[in-house]
Amino acid sequence: MSDRTSTKTTSRHGPAGRSAPALDDIDARIVDELGRDGRMSIRTLAEQVNISRTNAHSRVERLLASGVITGFHARVEPAKVGLGTAALIGLSIEQDTWREVSRRLADIDHVEHVALVAGEFDIVIRVRTADNLALRSLVFDHIQSLPGVRTCHTWLIFDEFEPEHR
């Protein structure tokens, strides 16, 4: 195994519309490998990217400390934990209410993702519920009724997948 460090930098995903910090090739490969299997041991990671265990450990610690890696998560099959209905919801909101609306959305159970967007809607959210009746309640009783929400459009998700090239 070698401990060679590349000086070549690779652009990685950062906050939308902003430049991401430059990662060298080894850091980029570490991020990719851990993105595929966050439970991978440091030994296996080191073997995958062809560096020593000590180098792999210090790089992972640095990536964690710098906020490049923000955590390790289990991928859960939603239907198997009782969340068989998913939807995207587009919200149009009153001007200057996005901070408050976003904060309130983040506090609502079953809201998985909140994105402030440009275009026809101001905010797009992804939700998961047990069934259509629970989705209806979530939309009408908790989301559409939030102060600042003007309109609410819901799209039922029939099926979803993550691309394999991850």
Side-chain angles (χ1 to χ4, degrees), residues 21-85:
L23 300 179
D24 68 20
D25 288 342
I26 294 172
D27 285 347
R29 288 172 46 212
I30 287 171
V31 169
D32 287 341
E33 290 294 332
L34 290 175
R36 279 191 276 282
D37 181 3
R39 295 183 66 192
M40 179 182 299
S41 70
I42 290 292
R43 180 181 182 165
T44 302
L45 177 64
E47 290 170 0
Q48 293 292 327
V49 298
N50 199 30
I51 59 175
S52 72
R53 284 183 293 209
T54 303
N55 192 3
H57 184 269
S58 65
R59 283 174 175 268
V60 169
E61 290 298 317
R62 183 176 38 77
L63 291 166
L64 283 162
S66 67
V68 172
I69 297 175
T70 59
F72 300 91
H73 310 279
R75 290 189 187 146
V76 176
E77 177 56 45
K80 292 188 178 186
V81 294
L83 299 173
T85 298

Side-chain angles (χ1 to χ4, degrees), residues 8-143:
K8 181 180 172 191
T9 58
T10 305
S11 175
R12 304 302 298 164
H13 303 290
R18 298 186 184 116
S19 296
L23 300 179
D24 68 20
D25 288 342
I26 294 172
D27 285 347
R29 288 172 46 212
I30 287 171
V31 169
D32 287 341
E33 290 294 332
L34 290 175
R36 279 191 276 282
D37 181 3
R39 295 183 66 192
M40 179 182 299
S41 70
I42 290 292
R43 180 181 182 165
T44 302
L45 177 64
E47 290 170 0
Q48 293 292 327
V49 298
N50 199 30
I51 59 175
S52 72
R53 284 183 293 209
T54 303
N55 192 3
H57 184 269
S58 65
R59 283 174 175 268
V60 169
E61 290 298 317
R62 183 176 38 77
L63 291 166
L64 283 162
S66 67
V68 172
I69 297 175
T70 59
F72 300 91
H73 310 279
R75 290 189 187 146
V76 176
E77 177 56 45
K80 292 188 178 186
V81 294
L83 299 173
T85 298
L88 294 174
I89 302 172
L91 303 175
S92 294
I93 60 174
E94 294 172 8
Q95 192 171 11
D96 297 326
T97 63
W98 67 269
R99 284 183 184 91
E100 181 64 16
V101 172
S102 297
R103 186 188 63 71
R104 288 177 181 237
L105 287 169
D107 290 338
I108 296 174
D109 285 340
H110 304 294
V111 172
E112 278 192 344
H113 183 81
V114 178
L116 185 64
V117 298
E120 183 178 350
F121 299 101
D122 302 305
I123 296 175
V124 174
I125 63 176
R126 184 179 61 230
V127 300
R128 289 190 195 281
T129 61
D131 52 34
N132 286 352
L133 186 60
L135 176 62
R136 179 184 183 280
S137 174
L138 178 66
V139 171
F140 290 154
D141 299 337
H142 300 282
I143 295 172

